[in-house]
């Protein structure tokens, strides 16, 4: 264990952190990691927990939902020690807790700076987030909202009337990066009008020669005429951006439009973080170890003992390989490095070596490591990681998991986790024998090897474990010596491996669907009724992997949307018919939610 002294002076701690950061920066430069400048902030856990509900942004606006988020964080244990928090700003802001040990500070710096900040800096989905001005933008937004709530014509009631509606739609702000050179609705409308005029001229001139051609042209004209009756012509995916436009919502007060703009800007800033969670955490987990093991850093061996547990903390549960962003992301990045990256070679096939010079680490009088006077020189292979950096630049979670969680990696993870299941079965058998449990509950001759046999054994133990809890509470009999959570993890592993064996494509797709923003329903604005009946039409793209919309949420969202658009609204979706007990009894059918009498929402089959 390290001799970390928790009673550093502030100046001494800053001195040591700056020294270690400079050594990490030297290694990062050789490797090719690029990143925004870093502002480190030494702070207490209490100070960090105060800004945690505001996603680390101390200038974020006030809303009752932030208090709800703070309460949720406390229930989930975030009120204790917070190891790391970093903000996508330029310069990037990284919080370092004063209660971290020095080895943990190095771990956090490697993870956050040379993982997350490198990711923020280079991934294309963050290119439009304008990190250099986000702090100022949020501060300006908060000042505007503070002034609005103090206005007697608005107050908190008027502010929350619109803000509650905006929060219901905050994820529907289109996708980043924005498609360049896309025609506006006005440009597309003019283009279609030109095409329609040309077709009508051809109907007059060419239709006289060929009745068949005339019929075809008239059908084309009819399609364009129907298209021109829609507004917008192309479905709008950015719901808040569309509602923010005065041309689309002339009834909205300017103060309300300001709130729409604030939530729209904030949501687009945070969207890439949600869409790259597995990539981002996996990338940071890769470099938190890889960087600290570089010769320029030279982390002392006694620090490595402290760090080893942190480097492997996300593998404490076997199912983490499939569900945990850190573990699953790290597995994929490691696979990319091993499969597609390589040590560069010269024309003769010899590995190219880079010369690295660094100062040796020695212990100071206070027992902490500092740079000595001696310089060491070592040769390290030149590693080509261009594939890793290309994935870093261009991918999001969906593409990342879909492309690289292929059969080779999936089978490797399956073998690893199945090996864990078999080892645990052996350990449980030994424990049961040693504890004097009935020998019929010991399964070692023969040891179960097939998926079916292992699942049967696990289910048998799970039933015994559940029964033992009941009798323990009632009669004080011994508990089954294996936690129910362990047995549950073992069963989950078996189910995942079996699903992969049954359908490799479906199993990979199910993992991909757990990432990014797949949980956010895909809803678009199809028509505002501007050239028709005045009824706004929304459409939900039904996905069988997630099933129908929750009716309570669909009604609430539609009611909030009407509050912003100012007119009648309907939402088209698909809904499976159900029996009186709510069980599906057939394939999904067209279904509609619609507003009636203000914000009252009803539904019906189409």
């Amino acid at each position: 264990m390290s001799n970390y002294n928790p009673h550093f002076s502030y100046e001494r701690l800053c001195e040591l952190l700056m020294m270690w950061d400079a050594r990490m920066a030297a290694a990062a430069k050789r490797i090719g990691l690029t990143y925004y400048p870093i502002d480190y902030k030494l702070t207490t856990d209490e100070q960090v927990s105060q800004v945690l509900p505001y996603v680390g942004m101390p200038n974020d606006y006030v809303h009752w939902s932030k208090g709800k988020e703070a309460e949720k964080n406390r229930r989930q244990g975030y009120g204790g020690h917070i190891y790391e928090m970093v903000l996508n700003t330029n310069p990037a802001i990284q919080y370092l807790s004063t209660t971290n040990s020095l080895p943990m500070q190095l771990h956090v710096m490697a993870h956050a700076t040379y993982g997350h900040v490198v990711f923020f800096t280079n991934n294309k989905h963050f290119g439009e987030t304008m990190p250099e001005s986000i702090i100022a933008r949020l501060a300006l937004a908060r000042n505007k909202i503070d002034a609005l709530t103090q206005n007697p014509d608005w107050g908190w009631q008027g502010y929350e009337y619109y803000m509650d509606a905006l929060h219901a739609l905050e994820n529907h702000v289109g996708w980043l990066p924005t498609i360049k050179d896309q025609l506006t609705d006005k440009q597309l409308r003019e283009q279609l009008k030109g095409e329609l005029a040309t077709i009508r001229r051809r109907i007059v001139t060419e239709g006289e020669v060929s009745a068949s051609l005339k019929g075809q042209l008239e059908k084309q004209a009819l399609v364009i005429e129907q298209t021109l009756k829609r507004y917008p012509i192309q479905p709008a995916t950015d719901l808040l951006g569309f509602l923010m436009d005065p041309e689309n919502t002339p009834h909205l007060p300017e103060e309300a439009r300001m709130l729409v703009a604030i939530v729209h800007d904030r949501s687009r800033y945070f969207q890439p973080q949600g869409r790259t969670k597995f990539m981002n955490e996996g990338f940071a987990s890769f470099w938190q170890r890889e960087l600290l093991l570089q010769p320029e850093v030279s982390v002392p061996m006694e620090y490595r003992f402290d760090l080893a547990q942190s480097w492997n903390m996300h593998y404490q549960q076997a199912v983490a390989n499939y569900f945990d962003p850190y573990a699953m992301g790290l597995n994929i990045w490691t696979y990319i490095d091993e499969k597609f990256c390589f040590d560069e070679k010269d024309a003769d096939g010899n590995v190219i070596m880079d010369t690295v010079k660094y100062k040796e680490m020695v212990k100071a009088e206070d027992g902490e490591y500092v740079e000595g006077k001696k310089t060491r020189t070592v040769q390290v292979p030149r590693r080509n990681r261009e594939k890793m950096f290309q994935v870093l630049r261009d991918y999001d979670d969906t593409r990342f998991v879909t492309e690289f969680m292929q059969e080779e990696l999936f089978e490797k993870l399956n073998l690893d986790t199945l090996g864990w299941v078999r080892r645990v079965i052996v350990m449980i058998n030994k424990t049961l024998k040693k504890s004097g449990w009935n020998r019929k509950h010991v399964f070692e001759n023969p040891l179960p090897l097939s998926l079916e046999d292992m699942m049967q054994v696990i289910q048998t133990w799970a039933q015994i474990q559940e029964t033992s809890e009941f009798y323990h509470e009632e009669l004080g009999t011994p508990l089954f010596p294996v936690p129910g959570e362990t047995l549950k993890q073992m069963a989950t592993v078996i189910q995942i491996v079996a699903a992969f064996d049954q359908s490799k494509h479906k199993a990979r797709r199910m993992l991909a669907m757990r990432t990014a923003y797949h949980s956010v329903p895909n809803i678009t604005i199809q028509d505002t009724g501007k050239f028709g009946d005045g009824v706004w039409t929304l459409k939900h793209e039904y996905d069988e992997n997630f099933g129908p919309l929750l009716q309570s949420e669909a009604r609430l969202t539609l009611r909030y949307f009407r509050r912003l658009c100012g007119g009648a609204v309907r939402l088209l979706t698909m809904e499976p018919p159900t029996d009186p007990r709510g069980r599906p009894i057939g394939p999904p059918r067209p279904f509609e939610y619609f507003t009636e009498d203000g914000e009252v929402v009803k539904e019906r089959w189409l």
Side-chain angles (χ1 to χ4, degrees), residues 161-162 243 248-253 528 534-536 558-569 595 598-599:
Y161 175 81
Y162 285 103
L243 292 167
N248 303 327
T249 51
H251 67 285
L252 271 183
T528 64
V535 177
W536 289 60
L558 203 62
R559 185 161 63 246
Y560 280 141
F561 189 90
R562 190 201 183 287
R563 182 177 297 182
L564 296 170
C565 77
V569 189
T595 59
E599 293 188 356

Side-chain angles (χ1 to χ4, degrees), residues 479-503:
L479 285 169
F480 190 71
V482 182
E485 181 61 31
T486 299
L487 297 172
K488 183 178 178 181
Q489 282 193 52
M490 295 168 69
T492 301
V493 169
I494 299 295
Q495 290 168 347
I496 292 172
V497 175
F500 179 77
D501 290 345
Q502 184 177 8
S503 175

Side-chain angles (χ1 to χ4, degrees), residues 10 41-48 94-99:
Y10 178 83
K41 293 185 180 295
L42 279 172
T43 185
T44 64
D45 290 337
E46 182 181 0
Q47 290 171 322
V48 175
Q94 182 179 334
Y95 294 90
L96 294 175
S97 174
T98 54
T99 53

Side-chain angles (χ1 to χ4, degrees), residues 141-152:
R142 180 165 186 163
N143 290 338
K144 289 180 177 179
I145 288 173
D146 287 345
L148 187 64
T149 56
Q150 294 171 19
N151 183 337

Side-chain angles (χ1 to χ4, degrees), residues 487-530:
L487 297 172
K488 183 178 178 181
Q489 282 193 52
M490 295 168 69
T492 301
V493 169
I494 299 295
Q495 290 168 347
I496 292 172
V497 175
F500 179 77
D501 290 345
Q502 184 177 8
S503 175
K504 295 177 173 58
H505 172 75
K506 185 176 181 180
R508 291 201 310 271
R509 176 165 172 75
M510 291 306 296
L511 291 186
M513 295 300 285
R514 294 180 61 87
T515 66
Y517 264 26
H518 288 294
S519 59
V520 178
N522 183 12
I523 297 176
T524 57
I525 299 174
Q526 297 285 317
D527 191 9
T528 64
K530 184 176 182 179

Side-chain angles (χ1 to χ4, degrees), residues 46-64:
E46 182 181 0
Q47 290 171 322
V48 175
S49 64
Q50 289 174 355
V51 297
L52 194 63
Y54 298 91
V55 284
M57 298 296 186
N59 295 323
D60 201 3
Y61 61 76
V62 177
H63 187 256
W64 62 265

Side-chain angles (χ1 to χ4, degrees), residues 219-242:
K219 288 181 181 179
Q220 293 177 23
L222 181 61
V223 170
I224 296 177
E225 288 170 355
Q226 293 297 324
T227 302
L228 288 170
K229 290 180 181 179
R230 292 202 309 266
Y231 179 77
I233 289 178
Q234 295 185 103
T237 59
D238 184 356
L239 273 59
L240 287 187
F242 192 87

Side-chain angles (χ1 to χ4, degrees), residues 264-275:
H264 182 266
D265 178 49
R266 184 182 184 278
S267 296
R268 284 174 72 85
Y269 167 79
F270 284 111
Q271 183 199 101
Q273 298 183 35
R275 291 176 59 195

